Structure formats: structure tokens, C-alpha cells
Amino acid sequence: MKVIYCKIGQAPKILEIDGTLESMQSLVGGYIETYPYEYEPMVFVINEEGKLQNFKPHRFIAGGRDIICGDFFVAAIGKNEHVQDDIIGLTEDQARLVMATVGIGRLKYQV
């Protein structure tokens, strides 16, 4: 499953993950939550407790009205093999779009 991974202090990168819940949780450091990406049908996958655990602020979302704290990745929303809505991998076109737009709103840190 192709995703764009954004780690604080590093450039976004394309990753292939196996798509299990555990693989997604390991990228964000805990329980996952989704938030709509600026372009559908894609989502930010974030740590649902990032703010509560005082993770570093990382990227503004919702037109600057909210913020993602901690590492995150962007994936697509679509039908899984059981024809249920699920987090799925990005297409090549979606990956290119995300790589061109994901940096907007990211905060800069020296690591």
C-alpha cells in the first residue's frame, strides 16, 4: 500500500506498507485517526492522541483552524477486498499530487 509519510524534520517520502493496522499505527506512534485531505478521496492518517500526548505541532489543517501533532501519512479512501470503505494505497497520480501539496502548512523544525 503506497502512502506519503511525513516525519517531523524530514522531507515527505513515498513508502510501501503492508496496510495492516499495526503498520499504520507504527508510522504515527499510536492509535490512528483520519482527517480529510484537501483533495478527495484522500486522508491524513494521524495519531488520535497526538495533541494530548504533547507531540510537536507538525502541519496546519482545516484552513489553519486545526493542527496535526506528530508524524502522519497520507493515504486514499476506497473499497478494500471485502468491498468496504477503508484506508487504501495511493495511485501514482494521487502520490504525485500529495508530494506536490503536502508541504503546504507544514511547520519547519531543526532535528
Side-chain angles (χ1 to χ4, degrees), residues 90-104:
L90 298 168
T91 66
E92 290 296 325
D93 287 340
Q94 288 172 328
R96 277 193 292 278
L97 176 63
V98 172
M99 288 298 285
T101 60
V102 76
I104 299 167

Side-chain angles (χ1 to χ4, degrees), residues 39-77:
Y39 302 93
E40 293 185 20
M42 295 179 280
V43 291
F44 293 103
V45 181
I46 64 176
N47 183 312
E48 74 174 23
E49 297 179 331
K51 291 178 192 170
L52 296 174
Q53 294 181 9
N54 293 317
F55 289 2
K56 279 187 175 181
H58 192 164
R59 187 189 194 277
F60 288 106
I61 55 175
R65 294 183 309 273
D66 203 355
I67 195 162
I68 294 172
C69 293
D71 300 335
F72 66 89
F73 66 92
V74 179
I77 290 290

